[in-house]
């Protein structure tokens, strides 16, 4: 009962602010609504007792990435929409991509009904007391079973960071 | 904003861009900004937080002091000079009185000159204390301000006991002094000076070796000796750049030729050197005061000057070493009771010209430290 | 409808302690923040040879209330060109983040909202990291150059120093082996040591990073008064301004509480295992009694009746609480059977650990905050590049090395069978050595950098000349 109230509360906010995020003209307003979306998604994680995911979402996405987003938006003026966004061809591309994604999601939902046993929509969260603490498990699987992908992702991020530094550096003629 | 864009842009060569195309920013510091020491307005052009150009806008406190002088008698004008550098009113008065005395070709009696020296040196300490406190506050140290105010208060009390006023004292008269020294003047000055050595040590303990302070002031606002001379900068700003030029030694006035004192000079001409020079000057002023109270000659305190002053036609220039630098008075007399023209060489105004040279290439944060370091008083800049 | 009501009732019945704590946090923290401001003013006055606020109430004790009233009745200004929505939203966000993050803090063994949350301190750190949004958005929405520079500085500073704080916390988490707040304190109790002694470097890097994170001097660049007027708060006034202000002080409490929990033994009294220090247990009662007696003594000397009455009320409160503490303590020590059997004693007895723990916890947090104030009134402010240099060149490498060395120490303990103490002392010394190397290296480079600024300066000058 409480679980579903909490879930629909957060889900509603997430969907609503996602819609607002897309429709706002002002980039900063969009960013604020994106933050709201991310926060309510984090709320859903918490309601599912995925505590580490919850805090990871907040620390990384909200606290880290979104701060930088806003930072960049403030530094480079985005008040004026870029001409590329306005062009008709791009609108068509966007429409097609959206349609494909929508069809994909619909297909998965439809398929899940066909799969015998548990469908996608009948997952139930077990009561919190009965769940083992999952933070440790997450750590163990990240640094155990998935160590290689984890390290690859780290290196990728490092490379991206160095690239960003190089791009942000002043161009000077001297080597 | 438009005029600024023009004035600065003309001089700005094309900056190397970044890929992201960051913008330049013009901010307006003052006239109502907590650390422009009054109503100075500095327009800063920033690249990120780095200053790439600046322009001072002054005149918000202009009262036409020089013009007022032409409509006042010589004595009437004396209180006006106190309102220029209002934190060092005694020094202003000394310069003016001595300039008029020179024009009248009279000399103040020895007793008056010694008392003038004592009060002026106390005023120098008070002015430097106020500078130290506010400068430290600009750099973010809150506490030295209150310590400095505590000591300054003692000096102001001595002024109050002597002439009844604390800030705009009008302590001296043309030809000498109006008031005889009060009974315990020597004792008060001595008590202050004896205690003051430990106080200076206290400021040094808080700031001199502090690595944050060093980081904020060393190599900040560098001014080379030749630049100082070219700009006409004087006082601690000049001395911090390594030029040993102090009018108290070079062209002694009042009773300075009787006392022994050192002229501290800096090596690099940065903000830290200016700080050290002023701290050392306070020590030296203290020594001068201690020497002076040892032996205050007896005798009259007023030379023989008439009630109505009518200097012979002619002109005179007299400069003294005010706490902020060389304060000069150029007075032209047409033989009447009022000056024909008074031109004042204010140290703050001329030292302020070095600001742009000092702040280019530094960060906004340093601008605050650098505005504080020439020790400007806007009352004197704008007159 | 009935079902909903019953559901709510059941909810309240299950969670009443947590709800009470939440309500207390929301209601009391602003008051406490106000009084921290008063204490700060008094500490500042003490360090600056002044008296501080003396007018409102005895020794200015009612000053925070007067300030709050003033702020509340001020005109609510929103600049014309500001972004109305975000200007309204930003301070609320800051305040919400600060208060929410308190949810997982254990103020003593009892007072905690999110008791079962197994990410514990990570929750506090993560949620309080939302605070910068309030600052950034507020600075942007004000449409003012000073505000935006303050906001940008603040963001850069927070991102940099959060890393250090995170690494410092990790070194503590490694020692505790858990993220859960109560377990961390229990681990320190069981290990007979506060973690500040095992990883001093971790504690000090956290201390410095937490000062920077709360924008306090000498790292208060985002609101550096002498440079940026009031930084991101320049356009704010009245109630909105006070929200920012409260958020700042609430954040101080939060970082103090995190530091206390992880490094200073949480709600444990100093040396909980040393028997001859048992008298320390009576300290809360004695301290409160002393405050009460002092208030009684001063009450007669107050100029106004209201002030005297106020003093009496404070005295009464202190003495009553002191009596309760003392009674329980005495009964506990003397094993007085009749008293122990009585019902009211049992109630008191059951309340005691919570209050007692809260006393020590708050005492430690206060000491932590006092360090903040002490530094603020002693040190000048860093320049931005120096701040970044300190953060990136010294603190982040140092805290990273510290994490590794704590790990090495734990490995020595677990695989080579060393005792924890020698392992930790050895690794701490190694870390300190690395720290010294870092500082020396940095000094050299800082000197070179500032010299190059000076050289650059003259170059800039030449290219603009004429």
């Amino acid at each position: 009962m409480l679980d579903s109230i909490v879930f629909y509360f957060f889900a509603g906010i997430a969907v609503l602010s996602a819609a607002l995020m897309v429709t706002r003209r002002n980039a900063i307003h969009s960013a604020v609504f994106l933050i709201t979306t991310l926060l309510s998604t984090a709320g859903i994680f918490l309601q599912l007792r995925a505590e580490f995911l919850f805090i990871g979402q907040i620390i990384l996405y909200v606290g880290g990435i979104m701060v930088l987003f806003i930072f960049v938006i403030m530094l480079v003026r985005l008040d004026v929409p870029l001409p590329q966004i306005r062009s008709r061809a791009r609108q068509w591309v966007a429409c097609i991509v959206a349609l494909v994604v929508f069809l994909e999601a619909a297909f998965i939902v439809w398929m899940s009904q066909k799969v015998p046993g548990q469908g996608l929509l009948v997952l139930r969260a077990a009561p919190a007391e009965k769940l083992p603490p999952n933070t440790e498990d997450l750590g163990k699987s990240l640094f155990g079973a998935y160590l290689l992908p984890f390290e690859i992702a780290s290196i990728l991020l490092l490379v991206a960071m160095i690239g960003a530094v190089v791009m942000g550096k002043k161009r000077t003629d001297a080597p | 904003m438009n005029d600024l864009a023009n004035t600065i842009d003309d001089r700005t060569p094309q900056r190397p861009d970044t890929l992201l195309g960051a913008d330049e920013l013009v901010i307006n510091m003052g006239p109502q900004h907590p650390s422009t020491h009054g109503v100075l307005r500095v327009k800063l052009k920033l690249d990120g937080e780095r200053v790439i150009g600046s322009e001072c806008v002054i005149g918000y406190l202009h009262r036409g002091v020089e013009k007022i002088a032409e409509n006042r008698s010589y004595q009437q004008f004396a209180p006006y000079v106190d309102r220029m550098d209002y934190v060092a009113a005694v020094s202003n008065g000394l310069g003016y009185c001595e300039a008029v005395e020179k024009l009248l070709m009279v000399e103040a009696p020895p007793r008056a000159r010694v008392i003038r020296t004592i009060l002026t040196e106390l005023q120098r300490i008070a002015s430097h204390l106020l500078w130290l406190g506010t400068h430290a506050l600009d750099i973010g140290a809150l506490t030295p301000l209150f310590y400095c105010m505590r000591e300054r208060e003692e000096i102001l009390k001595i002024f109050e006991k002597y002439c009844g006023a604390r800030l705009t004292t009008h302590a001296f008269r043309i030809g000498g002094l109006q008031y005889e020294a009060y009974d315990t003047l020597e004792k008060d000055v001595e008590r202050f000076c004896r205690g003051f050595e430990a106080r200076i040590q206290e400021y040094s303990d808080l700031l001199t070796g502090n690595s944050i302070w060093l980081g904020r002031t060393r190599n900040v606002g560098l001014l080379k000796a030749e630049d100082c001379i070219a700009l006409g900068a004087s006082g601690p700003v000049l001395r911090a750049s390594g030029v040993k030029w102090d009018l108290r030694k070079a062209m002694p006035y009042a009773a300075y030729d009787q006392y022994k004192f050192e002229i501290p000079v800096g090596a690099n001409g940065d903000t830290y050197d200016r700080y050290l020079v002023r701290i050392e000057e306070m020590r030296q002023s203290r020594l001068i005061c201690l020497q002076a109270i040892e032996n205050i000659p007896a005798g009259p305190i007023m030379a023989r000057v008439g009630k109505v002053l009518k200097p012979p036609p002619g002109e005179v220039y007299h400069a003294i070493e005010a706490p902020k630098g060389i304060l000069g008075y150029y007075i032209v007399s047409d033989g009447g009771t009022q000056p024909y023209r008074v031109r004042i060489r204010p140290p703050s105004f001329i030292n302020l010209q070095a600001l742009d040279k000092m702040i280019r290439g530094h960060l906004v944060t340093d601008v605050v430290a650098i505005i504080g370091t020439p020790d400007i008083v806007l009352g004197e800049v704008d007159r | 409808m009935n079902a909903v009501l019953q559901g709510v009732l059941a909810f309240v019945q299950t969670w009443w302690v947590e709800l009470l704590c939440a309500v207390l946090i929301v209601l009391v923290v602003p008051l406490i923040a106000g009084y921290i401001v008063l204490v700060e003013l008094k500490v500042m006055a003490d360090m600056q040879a002044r008296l501080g606020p003396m007018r409102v109430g005895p020794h200015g004790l009612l000053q925070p209330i007067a300030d709050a009233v003033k702020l509340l009745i001020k005109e609510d200004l929103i600049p014309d060109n500001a972004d109305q929505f975000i200007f309204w939203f930003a301070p609320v966000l800051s305040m919400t983040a600060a208060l929410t993050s308190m949810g997982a803090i254990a103020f003593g063994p009892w007072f905690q909202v999110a008791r079962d949350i197994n990410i514990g301190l990570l929750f506090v750190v993560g949620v309080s990291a939302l605070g910068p949004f309030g600052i950034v958005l507020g600075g942007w929405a004000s449409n003012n150059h000073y505000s935006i520079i303050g906001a940008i500085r603040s963001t850069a500073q927070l991102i940099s120093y959060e890393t250090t704080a995170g690494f410092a916390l990790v070194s503590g988490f490694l020692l505790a082996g858990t993220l859960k707040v109560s377990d961390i304190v229990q681990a320190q109790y069981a290990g007979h040591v506060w973690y500040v002694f095992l990883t001093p470097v971790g504690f000090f890097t956290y201390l410095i990073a937490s000062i920077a994170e709360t924008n306090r001097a000498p790292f208060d660049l985002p609101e550096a008064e002498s440079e940026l007027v009031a930084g991101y708060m320049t356009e704010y006034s009245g109630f909105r301004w006070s929200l920012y202000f409260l958020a700042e002080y609430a954040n101080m409490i939060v970082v103090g509480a995190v530091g206390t929990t992880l490094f200073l033994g949480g709600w444990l009294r100093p040396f909980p295992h040393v028997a001859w220090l048992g008298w320390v247990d009576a300290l809360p009662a004695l301290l409160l009694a002393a405050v009460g007696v002092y208030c009684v003594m001063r009450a007669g000397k107050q100029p106004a009746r209201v002030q005297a009455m106020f003093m009496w009320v404070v005295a009464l409160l202190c003495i009553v609480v002191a009596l309760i503490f003392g009674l329980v303590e005495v009964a506990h020590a003397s094993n007085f059977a009749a008293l122990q059997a009585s019902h009211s004693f049992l109630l008191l007895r059951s309340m005691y650990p919570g209050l007692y723990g809260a006393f020590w916890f708050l005492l430690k947090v206060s000491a932590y905050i006092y360090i903040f104030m002490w530094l603020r009134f002693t040190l000048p402010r860093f320049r931005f590049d120096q701040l970044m240099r300190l953060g990136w060149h010294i603190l982040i490498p140092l805290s990273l090395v510290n994490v590794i060395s704590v790990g090495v120490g734990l490995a020595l303990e677990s695989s080579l069978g060393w005792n924890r103490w020698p392992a930790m002392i050895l690794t701490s010394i190694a870390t300190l050595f690395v720290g010294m190397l870092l500082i020396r290296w940095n000094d050299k480079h800082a000197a070179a950098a500032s010299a190059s600024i000076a050289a650059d300066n003259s170059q800039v000058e030449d290219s603009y000349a004429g």
Side-chain angles (χ1 to χ4, degrees):
Chain A
M1 165 72 176
L2 188 65
D3 274 343
S4 44
I5 292 176
V6 172
F7 172 76
Y8 284 111
F9 177 72
F10 282 125
I13 292 180
V15 172
L16 187 72
S17 45
L20 281 169
M21 176 195 84
V22 179
T23 51
R24 291 304 92 186
R25 294 203 85 87
N26 187 323
I28 292 265
H29 286 194
S30 293
V32 170
F33 284 114
L34 181 55
I35 294 167
T36 324
T37 314
L38 291 171
L39 279 179
S40 24
T41 321
I44 294 173
F45 284 144
L46 190 61
Q47 180 257 338
L48 294 171
R49 273 84 180 176
E51 285 158 343
F52 193 80
L53 272 188
F54 156 76
I55 204 66
Q57 170 104 347
I58 287 186
I59 291 182
L60 296 179
Y61 282 91
V62 186
I65 294 173
M66 284 314 295
V67 168
L68 290 176
F69 260 45
I70 290 189
F71 202 68
V72 170
I73 294 173
M74 283 198 317
L75 287 179
V76 285
R77 294 171 166 271
L78 291 184
D79 306 350
V80 198
L82 297 168
Q84 295 96 299
I85 300 173
R86 285 200 181 136
S87 81
R88 193 144 285 244
R90 301 226 170 199
Q91 281 180 4
W92 279 109
V93 173
C95 278
I96 292 167
V97 170
L99 197 70
V100 168
V101 171
F102 176 78
L103 283 178
E104 204 178 337
F107 179 72
I108 290 170
V109 170
W110 179 70
M111 279 298 288
S112 68
Q113 304 286 6
K114 299 264 170 179
V115 174
Q118 259 192 347
L120 207 78
L121 298 174
V122 288
L123 268 176
R124 270 180 224 285
E129 308 86 66
K130 290 181 186 158
L131 275 177
N134 51 23
T135 314
E136 288 89 334
D137 292 344
L138 197 73
K140 274 174 194 151
S141 46
L142 266 187
F143 288 99
Y146 300 102
L147 184 62
L148 190 64
F150 184 79
E151 291 298 333
I152 290 174
S154 314
I155 289 173
L156 195 66
L157 285 175
L158 187 66
V159 170
M161 195 165 77
I162 293 170
V165 171
V166 171
M167 277 177 73
K169 257 195 124 166
K170 284 201 170 130
R171 275 190 206 144
T172 41
D173 298 331
Chain B
M1 216 51 107
N2 235 345
D3 55 321
L4 173 69
N6 292 335
T7 49
I8 288 182
D9 264 339
D10 293 344
R11 293 182 283 161
T12 310
Q14 208 60 44
R15 302 284 303 173
D17 301 280
T18 62
L19 269 179
L20 299 173
D23 239 352
E24 284 170 357
L25 187 69
V26 174
I27 69 168
N28 197 9
M29 217 169 189
Q32 286 170 358
H33 183 282
S35 54
T36 52
H37 295 259
V39 286
L40 175 65
R41 177 171 164 213
V42 189
K43 296 177 188 168
L44 297 171
K45 189 162 196 192
L46 305 180
D47 169 21
E49 285 213 34
R50 215 174 150 90
V51 180
I52 54 173
S54 79
E55 193 181 321
C56 277
V57 183
I58 58 170
Y60 290 92
L61 211 59
H62 180 64
R63 290 152 299 176
V65 170
E66 290 174 8
K67 194 71 189 164
I68 289 172
E70 294 166 19
N71 299 301
R72 298 286 185 277
S73 72
Y74 287 95
Q75 292 103 326
Q76 276 177 331
F77 181 61
Y80 283 90
V81 298
D82 286 355
R83 272 102 184 139
M84 293 193 315
D85 181 359
Y86 40 77
V87 300
V90 174
S91 312
N92 295 0
L94 177 72
Y96 177 71
C97 291
E98 288 199 341
V100 179
E101 283 160 16
K102 219 179 197 176
L103 193 61
L104 286 165
M105 288 174 288
V106 296
E107 223 177 47
R111 181 173 172 79
R113 295 166 63 158
V114 170
I115 293 175
R116 278 178 173 185
T117 308
I118 295 172
L119 293 180
T120 313
E121 285 310 302
L122 285 176
Q123 181 74 83
R124 184 184 311 279
I125 295 176
S127 169
H128 282 356
L129 279 174
L130 191 71
W131 168 82
L132 176 61
T134 49
H135 185 55
L137 188 67
D138 287 344
I139 297 187
L142 300 172
T143 304
L145 176 68
F146 292 92
Y147 291 174
C148 292
M149 285 293 185
R150 180 181 61 192
E151 269 71 75
R152 182 171 173 261
E153 185 65 25
E154 288 180 41
I155 295 173
L156 294 189
K157 271 185 185 150
I158 293 173
F159 290 163
E160 191 180 4
K161 275 185 176 172
Y162 173 70
C163 64
R166 290 157 53 86
L167 199 67
T168 45
T169 47
H170 192 206
F172 310 140
R173 297 294 184 272
I174 295 160
L177 305 167
Q178 185 175 5
Y179 310 109
E180 185 51 86
Y182 65 93
D183 292 343
T184 54
L185 179 76
E186 290 102 316
K187 215 180 274 172
D188 282 355
V189 173
E190 187 175 3
R191 201 177 52 218
F192 169 77
C193 289
R194 295 277 173 230
F196 190 55
E197 181 61 38
R199 305 295 198 191
I200 301 180
Q201 195 52 47
E202 210 171 281
Y203 316 139
S204 296
D205 289 345
L206 268 173
L207 299 174
T208 305
N210 186 321
S211 68
I212 302 179
W213 179 264
L214 286 170
R216 286 297 307 276
T217 53
R218 265 204 186 150
N219 282 326
V220 169
L222 279 175
L223 209 52
K224 288 188 230 66
E226 56 264 33
D227 288 338
C228 278
I229 293 167
L231 285 161
S234 56
V237 178
L238 178 68
R239 289 192 284 273
S241 297
V243 182
K244 206 165 185 173
W245 179 252
D246 188 321
L247 287 188
R248 290 176 294 174
K249 282 266 193 220
M251 307 172 182
Y253 54 94
Y256 285 108
D257 45 358
Q258 303 169 20
Y259 308 121
K260 272 191 205 142
F261 59 95
E262 297 291 319
I263 300 171
V265 287
N268 304 320
D270 55 11
T271 305
Y272 185 64
D273 280 353
R274 291 189 269 273
Y275 157 79
L276 287 181
V277 162
R278 286 196 177 94
I279 290 274
E280 189 53 36
E281 274 187 17
M282 287 200 274
R283 291 210 170 96
Q284 297 300 329
S285 294
R286 171 184 164 274
L287 289 179
I288 295 174
C289 286
L290 280 175
Q291 290 173 49
I293 53 169
E294 285 291 306
N295 181 21
I296 302 180
I301 53 166
M302 197 70 182
R304 291 173 62 84
V305 288
K307 283 248 161 66
V308 178
L309 297 182
K310 275 192 162 184
E315 54 181 54
V316 70
Y317 176 76
H318 181 71
I320 63 156
E321 189 71 32
K324 291 164 182 69
I326 293 173
L327 171 68
Y329 290 89
Y330 172 67
I331 304 176
V332 181
S333 162
D334 57 358
T337 55
Q338 295 169 344
Y340 175 75
R341 171 81 170 96
V342 172
R343 157 74 193 160
I344 298 158
R345 181 212 188 273
S348 296
F349 175 70
I350 290 163
N351 290 348
L352 185 62
Q353 308 312 312
L355 187 69
D356 186 59
K357 246 189 173 32
M358 288 194 276
I359 59 182
R360 289 213 172 179
H362 284 298
L363 305 177
V364 186
T365 319
D366 290 326
V367 172
V368 173
I370 295 171
I371 289 178
T373 173
D375 191 12
I376 48 161
V377 165
L378 266 294
E380 193 180 52
V381 173
D382 294 345
R383 283 158 290 148
Chain C
M1 198 63 218
N2 213 8
V4 172
L5 198 68
Q6 274 188 348
V8 170
L9 270 178
F11 180 75
V12 170
Q13 267 179 353
T14 335
W15 300 104
W16 69 273
V17 181
E18 283 78 3
L19 282 176
L20 190 73
C21 286
V23 171
L24 271 181
I25 284 178
V26 174
L27 290 184
V28 176
V29 165
L31 191 71
I32 291 180
Y35 274 91
I36 292 178
V37 175
L38 177 68
V39 169
E40 179 159 26
L41 291 174
K42 283 292 187 184
V43 169
M44 167 157 65
D46 184 42
M47 290 182 182
Q48 298 178 343
R50 304 182 287 130
L51 283 176
M54 291 295 284
R55 293 303 173 99
V56 192
H59 285 262
L61 271 178
L62 298 178
Q63 186 70 42
I65 295 171
D67 285 346
V69 170
K70 182 207 80 174
L71 286 171
L72 286 177
I73 59 178
K74 255 183 145 173
E75 188 187 350
D76 182 26
L77 280 176
I78 297 184
D80 229 14
N81 286 332
D83 189 307
Q84 311 274 320
F85 165 65
I86 293 182
F87 194 82
W88 165 85
F89 176 69
V92 177
L93 187 63
S94 265
M95 186 71 192
T96 313
L99 288 183
T100 310
S101 61
M102 283 193 186
I105 293 172
F107 296 91
W110 277 23
F111 300 97
Q112 189 179 14
V113 181
R115 192 181 301 269
D116 281 326
I117 192 157
N118 98 41
I119 42 174
L121 282 186
L122 213 51
F123 176 88
V124 182
V125 177
V127 175
S128 64
L130 296 182
F133 274 116
I135 293 173
V136 177
L137 292 174
W140 177 81
S142 303
N143 199 9
N144 174 324
H145 283 163
Y146 288 117
S147 302
I148 210 162
I149 292 181
I152 290 172
R153 280 183 176 186
S154 164
T155 323
Q157 176 175 335
L158 280 153
I159 292 174
S160 316
Y161 278 80
E162 224 155 57
T163 322
T164 307
F167 282 135
L169 289 181
V170 166
S171 64
F173 291 151
L174 280 177
L175 287 168
T178 173
L179 294 174
K180 214 168 161 179
V181 179
S182 49
D183 291 354
I184 290 172
V185 177
Q186 280 312 315
Q188 296 182 57
Y189 183 76
H192 289 237
V193 65
W194 294 357
Y195 290 152
V196 59
F197 298 115
L198 287 184
T199 170
V201 180
F203 175 69
F204 284 105
T205 44
Y206 181 74
L207 180 68
I208 295 171
S210 63
I211 297 170
E213 266 192 83
T214 45
N215 297 337
R216 300 279 301 177
F219 303 102
D220 58 343
L221 292 117
E223 45 194 283
E225 190 189 325
S226 54
E227 301 148 27
L228 299 181
V229 190
Y232 60 90
M233 301 200 286
T234 306
E235 295 288 354
Y236 281 89
S237 65
F239 188 59
R240 283 174 226 290
W241 180 85
S242 63
L243 280 182
Y244 270 131
F245 204 65
L246 285 180
E248 185 184 326
Y249 281 86
N251 272 328
M252 275 166 69
I253 300 177
V254 169
V255 294
V258 171
T260 303
T261 307
L262 196 53
F263 294 106
L264 300 178
W267 59 79
L268 305 174
R269 80 160 159 82
F271 305 105
H273 296 285
V274 181
W276 60 266
L277 275 174
W279 58 270
V280 174
D281 281 336
L283 205 63
L286 290 177
L287 209 63
L288 281 167
V291 173
V293 169
Y294 178 75
C295 284
V296 171
M297 275 163 56
R298 300 290 305 183
K301 290 179 185 157
Q302 295 310 317
R305 240 184 85 124
V306 186
Q307 297 187 347
M309 269 168 61
F310 181 78
M311 283 302 231
W312 278 109
V313 171
V314 172
L316 207 67
L317 264 175
C318 285
I319 289 176
V320 165
V321 179
L323 273 179
I324 294 174
F325 270 40
L327 203 65
V328 176
E329 194 53 50
V330 168
H332 184 55
S334 61
N335 281 335
F336 192 47
L339 192 61
Q340 285 199 354
S342 83
H343 190 72
S344 54
F345 173 76
L346 283 178
L347 184 71
L348 285 179
R349 186 68 222 271
S350 63
M351 280 167 63
Y352 185 67
L355 292 175
Y356 180 74
F359 170 82
W360 284 112
F361 190 79
L362 293 178
L363 195 70
K364 287 174 193 173
V365 174
S366 313
Y368 201 91
I369 293 175
Y370 182 82
I371 294 178
F372 280 30
M373 297 175 182
W374 192 2
L375 290 176
R376 178 176 173 194
F377 304 127
T378 312
L379 296 178
R381 187 181 296 122
F382 276 105
R383 196 171 60 207
F384 197 69
D385 58 325
Q386 293 164 348
L387 176 95
M388 285 294 158
R389 187 177 290 277
L390 180 69
W392 288 96
H393 289 190
I394 298 185
L395 284 179
I396 290 183
L398 186 59
S399 54
L400 197 57
V401 168
N402 188 48
V403 169
I404 296 168
S405 74
V406 168
V408 169
L410 288 176
L412 286 178
E413 186 192 349
S414 63
S415 43
L416 296 184
W418 286 34
N419 266 332
R420 187 169 261 206
W421 270 105
M424 283 304 152
I425 288 174
L426 192 73
T427 53
S428 288
I429 289 171
T431 319
L432 282 174
F433 182 69
V434 173
M436 267 156 57
L437 283 183
L438 280 171
I439 290 170
R440 280 185 65 176
W441 178 80
N442 179 60
D443 279 353
K444 218 158 68 185
H445 280 248
S450 82
S452 90
I453 283 187
D456 208 23
N457 189 14
S458 57
Q459 215 173 34
V460 167
E461 211 168 60
D462 289 340
S463 62
Y464 287 112

